[in-house]
């Protein structure tokens, strides 16, 4: 599929853009990616938010988890993505144990923003509220990440669906509300039952970005390796868009289309 050599995004995407899109009931698209050419292509294909995720530890660097990822590796990839993409909102992950205290978070979030990110993402629930407030009060937008939080994989006992059962679901709901109240600008919901994804989305003013969280979240995020069929044992919530599209821009455009039309995720990609 051909794609224009210009941006498909009319204006720079900001935290206000994605909040307005939620208010208008318009879905936005997020892709986790790690380099300049893919970042440029995402912009040309209309991807509103690019996430330089610490998933790069597994997708690019060959680790078994995201735990070994360092600040230096994150900075290297955020700088590359920022060079390639001028209009999407760039979100950068703070890696494992770089935000264990609010003060440490401030130092490391500053580095991520100075590398070219427009927003930082941190994994955790209500315990992070003080950190979120510390960052947002100082002008650093925060996306919180709850549900399956890969940096806690050993505490969770594996990459497993979270929020099943009333007690766990209630806790995730409380986490989401606390993080919003603390000033978060968006929340990633990873691997939670679709009903919980909807309940949290319906009760927040800020947008939710789902990955394995059902069709009702305000946005979807997938990792570029999964979109392009590069993952040997892909997660249930992902989809290889390359196989039908035939080329990389086609795959990205199909993903953008399917999210916006509410066709992705389908029933095969959600958890009950
Ligand atoms: O690191 C990452 O890419 C992520 C997404 C999978 C949400 O956190």
């Amino acid at each position: 599929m051909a794609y224009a050599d210009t941006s498909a995004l009319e204006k720079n995407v900001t935290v206000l853009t994605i909040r307005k899109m939620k208010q208008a009931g318009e879905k936005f698209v997020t892709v986790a990616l790690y380099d300049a050419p893919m970042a440029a292509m995402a912009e040309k294909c209309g991807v509103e938010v690019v996430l330089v995720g610490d998933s790069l530890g597994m997708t690019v660097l060959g680790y078994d988890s995201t735990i070994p990822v360092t600040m230096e590796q994150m900075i290297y990839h955020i700088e590359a993505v920022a060079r390639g993409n001028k209009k999407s909102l760039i979100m950068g992950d703070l890696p494992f144990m770089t935000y264990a205290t609010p003060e440490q978070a401030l130092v490391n979030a500053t580095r991520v923003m100075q590398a070219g990110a427009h927003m930082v993402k941190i994994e955790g629930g209500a315990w992070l509220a003080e950190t979120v407030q510390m960052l947002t009060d100082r002008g650093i937008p925060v996306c919180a990440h709850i549900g399956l939080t890969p940096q806690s994989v050993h505490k969770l006992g594996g990459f497993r669906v979270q929020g099943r059962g009333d007690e766990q679901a209630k806790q995730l709901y409380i986490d989401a509300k606390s993080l919003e109240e603390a000033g978060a600008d968006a929340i990633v919901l990873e691997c939670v039952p679709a009903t919980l994804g909807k309940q949290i989305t319906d009760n927040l003013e800020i947008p939710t970005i789902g990955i394995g969280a059902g069709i009702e979240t305000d946005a979807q995020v997938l990792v570029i390796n999964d979109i392009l069929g590069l993952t040997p044992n892909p997660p249930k919530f992902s989809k290889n868009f390359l196989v039908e599209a035939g080329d990389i821009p086609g795959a990205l455009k199909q993903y953008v289309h399917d999210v916006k039309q509410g066709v992705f995720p389908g029933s095969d990609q959600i958890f009950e």
Side-chain angles (χ1 to χ4, degrees), residues 32 34 51 53-55 93 121 123 145 188 190 211 221 223:
Y34 321 100
L51 166 64
D54 63 351
S55 52
D93 261 340
K121 180 165 80 58
E123 296 181 6
H145 180 158
V188 166
E190 179 163 354
I211 177 161
V221 55
V223 168

Side-chain angles (χ1 to χ4, degrees), residues 231-248:
T231 311
N233 296 303
K236 173 182 159 76
F237 56 69
S238 71
K239 180 171 172 185
N240 175 349
F241 285 88
L242 186 77
V243 77
E244 278 179 30
D247 64 18
I248 295 175

Side-chain angles (χ1 to χ4, degrees), residues 41-65:
M41 193 173 289
E43 182 184 335
K44 287 172 185 163
C45 294
V47 173
E48 282 97 353
V49 179
V50 298
L51 166 64
V52 188
D54 63 351
S55 52
L56 66 85
M58 301 171 78
T59 53
V60 178
L61 302 176
Y63 298 126
D64 290 335
S65 78

